[in-house]
Amino acid sequence: SPALPTFLVDALAHWGPRWHQDITAGRDAMFEAWAPLLEASALAPTARDLPYGEDPRQVLDVYAPQVERPGGGPGVPILVFVHGGAFVRGDKEQTPWIYANVPAEFSRHGYLAFNVEYRLAPQSPWPGGAEDVREALRWVVRHAARWGGDPSRLFLMGHSAACAHCASALWDARVRPDGGLPVAGLVLVSPRVVADTRADNPNAHGVRAYYGEDEALYAGREPLGQVRADAPPTFIALAQYENPLLDFYALALAQRLAVVADRDKGPMPRVVQLMDHNHVSIVAQFNTPFNALGGPIRDWSARVLAGQYAGAAPATSAAGASARRA
């Protein structure tokens, strides 16, 4: 990607070392810094607020592919994106441009992209968020052909706390359907995959709201303990300046995935750290000329579909098997 303009370099350099001191102020500063670029490249959804469930928050937006992808088989690849928010807040359009910029970017590169809303804690505690991701995926599989999507080439992507929902939907036997979900690859950006209420976790209240007050149950509910060899390949992205503890958890997850890959012949993870970026800029950069993460994700996705990240574990569904053979 091109070199960042000076005003973004200055904003990242100022807030990066200060990120742990005030993540709310840093978040708002990043929203403001990236807004002019995101406004200039904004893309309206093809369809908005389509229901995949009965709750008002169980809706998604559709971004039809903006370009044709040559030689892509019967349909285009699919990207399903789920926003963050510490389990208790957030929206698929957190600002007029963030998080809609993520599916917009993939749409511009020939993907059929979806932007998913879901129920929040405490009204919807564990495993409500993961169940919503599961149901959104089922909806996408049923309806993707309407916009030219190929469900056998479907990738699921989450940011922050939504990574817990995405991972649990694919890994946790209490949530995922028998035989799994037809997801070719999982992308976790700044993932929260450990349920903790440590004093240095500024979002501990969100963990309690979602996972419950009984901390003895956390280890059995958090995604880190649900890794399985028959899960799809995983791409982990983290920023140099993360919300407290998230960088540790991202690396712990990568290590757990690598152990499973070595022991059970599952797929090895891919891990990328973006220097100078923070927990918000890592997603704010999507759909701008200065995005350093979209290209690596798409490259990895193509390699997944080519079979380069396939493990030796048996496929969990016919669609998943088709994706790995593509």
Side-chain angles (χ1 to χ4, degrees), residues 106-278:
F106 282 85
S107 171
R108 291 188 188 280
H109 285 85
Y111 285 68
L112 171 60
F114 296 86
N115 197 13
V116 176
E117 191 62 89
Y118 57 92
R119 295 170 298 165
L120 301 174
Q123 290 78 15
S124 180
W126 178 90
E131 291 173 338
D132 284 3
V133 171
R134 178 194 65 201
E135 295 308 307
L137 289 171
R138 285 171 159 169
W139 189 97
V140 168
V141 169
R142 291 195 304 269
H143 296 279
R146 175 180 172 184
W147 298 280
D150 181 354
S152 73
R153 299 197 290 164
L154 188 157
F155 291 86
L156 175 62
M157 177 179 176
H159 175 238
S160 194
C163 293
H165 301 326
C166 293
S168 292
L170 299 186
W171 299 345
D172 194 326
R174 295 161 295 187
V175 178
R176 74 181 218 147
D178 293 341
L181 291 160
V183 173
L186 174 63
V187 181
L188 303 177
V189 180
S190 301
R192 174 165 290 285
V193 290
V194 172
D196 79 87
T197 55
R198 287 172 41 168
D200 48 351
N201 175 9
N203 290 315
H205 66 288
V207 172
R208 292 190 187 94
Y210 184 65
Y211 286 103
E213 293 293 336
D214 188 354
E215 296 187 17
L217 299 175
Y218 289 0
R221 293 178 172 181
E222 63 190 16
L224 189 66
Q226 305 297 329
V227 173
R228 50 194 300 149
D230 65 350
T234 302
F235 183 113
I236 299 171
L238 64 153
Q240 181 179 3
Y241 301 106
E242 281 292 355
N243 287 6
L245 308 173
L246 293 193
D247 40 7
F248 292 93
Y249 299 154
L251 296 173
L253 176 61
Q255 192 269 345
R256 183 71 59 87
L257 287 164
V259 167
V260 170
D262 179 62
R263 184 189 66 207
D264 300 324
K265 308 305 180 187
M268 284 292 291
R270 181 172 177 186
V271 182
V272 172
Q273 184 184 36
L274 270 65
M275 303 308 294
D276 303 317
H277 278 280
N278 54 62

Side-chain angles (χ1 to χ4, degrees), residues 78 80 102 121 202 218 244 257 276 325:
I78 298 170
V80 176
V102 179
Y218 289 0
L257 287 164
D276 303 317
R325 289 195 299 269

